[in-house]
Amino acid sequence: MSSPESNAGKLALMLGAILLFCAVVGLILFLASLARGKRADRVTAYLYLAPTLIMLAVGLVYPGLRTIWESFFDAAGKAFIGFGNYETIFTSGDQLTVLGNTVLWVLVTPFVATGVGLLYAILVDKSRFENVAKALIFLPMAISFVGASIIWKFIYEYRPDQGNVKQIGLLNQLLVWVGGSPQQWLVNSPWNTLLLIVVMIWIQAGFAMTVLSAAIKAIPDDIVEAARLDGVTAWGMFRFVTLPAIRPAVVVVLTTIAIGMLKVFDIVRTMTGGQFNTSVIANEFYSQSFRSDNQGLGAALAVVLFLLVIPIVVYNIRQLRRSEAL
Amino acid sequence: MTTTTPATPSVPIATKDISTAEVAKRKLSSPWASLAAIVIAVLWTVPTFGLLVSSFRPERAIKTTGWWTFFSNPTLTLDNYKAVLDAEEGAGLGSYFINSIVITIPSVIIPLALATIAAYAFAWIKFPGRNILFLIIFALQVVPLQVTLIPLLTLYVDAGVANTFWTIWLSHAIFGLPLAIYLLHNFMRDIPASLLEAARVDGAGHVAIFFRVLLPLLRPALAAFGIFQFLWVWNDLLVGLVFGGGGDTIAPITVALANLTGTRGTAWHLLSAGAFVSIVVPVTIFLFLQRYFVRGLLAGSVKG
């Protein structure tokens, strides 16, 4: 399967697809340039928009509506069961655990990641090693969730606590060094969910730091200088100058991370597979849809996800608008 | 108000580049501030470093001793990388790596090109329905892709393209379009209209204006979204998992790694090397194009 010929074939296919796509775009540009007369602009605009609108209608709008419709059907997608699936989500014990975990992700991650990111942004601001220091924290952003999960799974690795067996996971080794006994970190609920959240904090702190650092640097010098001449204390400077000035950015960071947390999937699936009471909505959606073949419940979970995302996104956009207006 | 300010008669010196953070930090008694920064930096670096060191240690050493013992007993090997890439006896990650490349490049180019011409239409051409269409596309950013996956899969099966790269290319392109259009539109609106007017007076059509006037100015915005989308697609698991199937025909490396963690969760010699094979590409891109990436992050991050 993985012979060099098939790899070359794949790359050739890719080049072919890109060329085909360029040809389509070229054709659109050419056709649009032929438009003449009073309606020429209109024709051009619709031609430019045509591929986008078709793709979004077929690939986003229709599937979205279709999923909403299917969420009212049973596991096989045959019998109409009204709000049955939603009832399951909000009453069955397993599903309530899933909802509870999702709430934990959404509440804990944004605040801790933003807190760490803000603290670090302040600490390294204008220091000699600022760029390197920032890159260190920011690098996890470039690593895939799957890669990050493997990195941290190794930290949490557990070896049975017997005679000659040495721990190879850093966390357990640290515990052993201070005289404790090693733990199966990813098995014991509810701590395992918090340890998964740590991975996400590790990834998101860099994002928070970058945005907040940019906001801090945008604070006008004269305000800072005035406050400094007034002899404001460090805490006062942070509380009454920095924080009010970067508040819109903080809100955007918090909400952006929160939206991402609603959809967290990769980390849970890679580290525990949703076992040991760690599942979250997006993981449960995948399991129900593609593993348990419960289409109706899977669809309903996706819709719940959608409904939970909307208010945060709307709030986020309003804040974004406000911060742009400033 | 407070009287604890030490006398600072030499105010003019270097007041220009003093920020709130700096003042806060200076007063936080510097050693503690530095210590805190170092602690955070170490906490953030050690996990990756530990796995990186492990990926070069012999299999037996990884499984019996912690990676920190490497410093007292350093032995290096590339066997793990050979094993994880090799299809015959290892995990065969090599072909998945190729798949990731084949998936990612068109998945960046397609939405980028389509979004550019769409954003141009929205920003610089007046036509009926412009505002409502733009609003709809903007609103589509909130749609989580989970909502679309199963009907989309059915559509692909019906169209006879299931299990081909087209499913993944099209899906990523579709999911990337709303954000791309929004970002590029904002950027295009900032270009002074007089520039375009001048070109139009000279008799340039839309295509000429687009290529000669706009494209050079748009380069930073295109780079920002391009890198954003590149990292997003390269690091994606969900889309690859749903449309990529299990085998190495089209599935990306993230899927192979996730499966490897599931089936051989203690094969750390494979997992560590495999993780770094997948990490090296986005991290390289990130290190070289950090500036654009940051700009992309700052410009908009509500992607669904």
Side-chain angles (χ1 to χ4, degrees):
Chain A
M1 286 291 268
S2 60
S3 60
E5 299 86 56
S6 85
N7 283 341
K10 285 174 186 172
L11 291 169
L13 177 69
M14 175 185 83
L15 286 179
I18 293 173
L19 284 177
L20 178 65
F21 172 74
C22 289
V24 170
V25 172
L27 187 68
I28 289 171
L29 292 179
F30 175 69
L31 286 177
S33 72
L34 291 181
R36 292 281 178 270
K38 229 177 69 187
R39 289 169 179 264
D41 268 3
R42 204 175 286 192
V43 173
T44 306
Y46 290 136
L47 275 171
Y48 283 8
L49 288 175
T52 299
L53 294 181
I54 292 169
M55 282 170 75
L56 291 180
V58 177
L60 221 51
V61 178
Y62 161 76
L65 296 174
R66 174 98 204 204
T67 298
I68 296 174
W69 173 246
E70 278 174 0
S71 72
F72 298 111
F73 286 80
D74 66 353
K78 296 259 165 17
F80 185 85
I81 54 165
F83 284 91
N85 290 318
Y86 295 94
E87 212 180 306
T88 310
I89 294 175
F90 290 104
T91 52
S92 99
D94 285 351
Q95 297 296 326
L96 283 177
T97 311
V98 169
L99 283 183
N101 285 337
T102 306
V103 170
L104 205 59
W105 277 86
V106 172
L107 289 183
V108 175
T109 326
F111 287 101
V112 180
T114 309
V116 174
L118 179 57
L119 176 67
Y120 195 76
I122 291 176
L123 290 178
V124 302
D125 191 60
K126 299 265 165 70
S127 77
R128 209 165 5 133
F129 308 107
E130 181 172 353
N131 286 338
V132 178
K134 280 176 156 179
L136 286 180
I137 306 296
F138 195 52
L139 212 54
M141 281 288 291
I143 296 174
S144 65
F145 289 162
V146 176
S149 300
I150 293 175
I151 288 173
W152 280 87
K153 213 169 172 247
F154 193 49
I155 298 270
Y156 298 147
E157 179 74 349
Y158 165 82
R159 285 291 148 99
D161 189 16
Q162 314 156 341
N164 278 334
V165 180
K166 294 200 180 80
Q167 295 301 319
I168 63 168
L170 184 60
L171 191 58
N172 274 324
Q173 180 65 69
L174 290 174
L175 203 61
V176 169
W177 273 332
V178 298
S181 57
Q183 302 290 316
Q184 297 202 52
W185 298 108
L186 293 176
V187 173
N188 304 326
S189 170
W191 302 108
N192 50 7
T193 291
L194 287 174
L195 290 171
L196 297 192
I197 290 177
V198 165
V199 182
M200 192 52 109
I201 292 169
W202 181 72
I203 295 170
Q204 298 292 346
F207 164 68
M209 179 207 64
T210 310
V211 177
L212 296 177
S213 173
I216 289 172
K217 289 187 191 303
I219 301 175
D221 287 342
D222 44 344
I223 298 181
V224 182
E225 190 52 25
R228 212 170 69 91
L229 290 177
D230 275 350
V232 175
T233 60
W235 172 248
M237 182 67 90
F238 175 74
R239 176 73 186 76
F240 298 110
V241 180
T242 314
L243 205 53
I246 64 168
R247 192 187 160 278
V250 171
V251 173
V252 168
V253 169
L254 284 174
T255 49
T256 303
I257 298 178
I259 295 164
M261 293 314 100
L262 281 169
K263 294 178 251 176
V264 65
F265 163 72
D266 311 25
I267 293 181
V268 174
R269 193 187 128 89
T270 312
M271 291 186 79
T272 63
Q275 288 173 288
F276 318 120
N277 290 326
T278 56
S279 193
V280 291
I281 293 183
N283 182 67
E284 198 62 18
F285 156 80
Y286 183 83
S287 309
Q288 294 295 345
S289 303
F290 298 101
R291 290 279 169 272
S292 316
D293 278 329
N294 191 339
Q295 273 198 36
L297 189 56
L301 283 160
V303 174
V304 168
L305 195 64
F306 191 13
L307 294 176
L308 291 174
V309 168
I310 290 175
I312 311 183
V313 172
V314 169
Y315 182 71
N316 187 342
I317 289 168
R318 284 176 53 184
Q319 290 295 327
L320 209 62
R321 284 270 166 89
R322 194 178 297 173
S323 69
E324 272 167 9
L326 284 176
Chain B
M1 292 229 215
T2 9
T3 48
T4 46
T5 341
T8 44
S10 55
V11 176
I13 298 170
T15 47
K16 260 286 146 221
D17 51 355
I18 279 179
S19 69
T20 51
E22 199 182 358
V23 174
K25 191 181 60 187
R26 221 178 257 170
K27 298 200 175 174
L28 258 173
S29 71
S30 229
W32 289 108
S34 307
L35 184 69
I38 290 169
V39 166
I40 296 178
V42 168
L43 279 177
W44 253 249
T45 318
V46 162
T48 319
F49 180 73
L51 200 70
L52 181 62
V53 169
S54 298
S55 73
F56 291 108
R57 298 181 75 213
E59 180 183 349
R60 236 196 94 67
I62 300 178
K63 286 181 171 164
T64 49
T65 54
W67 57 266
W68 46 90
T69 60
F70 168 80
F71 301 101
S72 52
N73 176 27
T75 33
L76 285 172
T77 171
L78 284 175
D79 288 353
N80 302 333
Y81 285 90
K82 277 182 206 134
V84 83
L85 292 173
D86 187 53
E88 300 297 306
E89 38 199 301
L93 236 54
S95 52
Y96 291 98
F97 185 85
I98 301 284
N99 289 349
S100 274
I101 293 174
V102 172
I103 286 171
T104 308
I105 295 174
S107 298
V108 173
I109 293 178
I110 296 175
L112 202 58
L114 291 182
T116 314
I117 56 174
Y120 175 82
F122 279 126
W124 294 111
I125 305 178
K126 284 202 181 71
F127 59 92
R130 178 166 85 160
N131 291 339
I132 183 74
L133 278 177
F134 185 71
L135 197 69
I136 291 172
I137 290 180
F138 177 72
L140 284 177
Q141 285 185 73
V142 308
V143 178
L145 51 91
Q146 279 86 354
V147 173
T148 66
L149 292 179
I150 295 174
L152 210 47
L153 189 59
T154 318
L155 283 179
Y156 288 141
V157 172
D158 291 345
V161 292
N163 281 316
T164 68
F165 283 112
W166 290 99
T167 59
I168 306 188
W169 290 333
L170 287 173
S171 305
H172 278 306
I174 290 166
F175 300 142
L177 273 174
L179 176 70
I181 293 174
Y182 174 67
L183 287 182
L184 292 173
H185 171 264
N186 284 357
F187 201 87
M188 282 197 206
R189 289 304 299 178
D190 289 342
I191 294 170
S194 54
L195 267 180
L196 275 79
E197 276 310 316
R200 205 164 291 158
V201 170
D202 286 348
H206 288 296
V207 177
I209 293 179
F210 183 79
F211 279 102
R212 264 188 257 142
V213 183
L214 283 177
L215 215 51
L217 295 170
L218 278 176
R219 213 173 292 149
L222 292 174
F225 175 78
I227 294 160
F228 210 58
Q229 177 80 355
F230 183 97
L231 293 180
W232 207 85
V233 172
W234 184 276
N235 289 338
D236 156 81
L237 174 66
L238 184 57
V239 174
L241 210 49
V242 171
F243 299 122
D248 68 355
T249 18
I250 59 169
I253 193 165
T254 43
V255 169
L257 270 178
N259 289 341
L260 197 62
T261 356
T263 52
R264 306 191 56 185
T266 52
W268 286 109
H269 63 296
L270 295 179
L271 288 173
S272 58
F276 279 95
V277 169
S278 84
I279 286 173
V280 72
V281 173
V283 166
T284 311
I285 298 262
F286 161 79
L287 287 178
F288 280 104
L289 302 168
Q290 195 178 355
R291 214 160 16 105
Y292 295 113
F293 182 40
V294 169
R295 194 174 311 178
L297 270 189
L298 296 178
S301 16
V302 278
K303 174 170 173 153

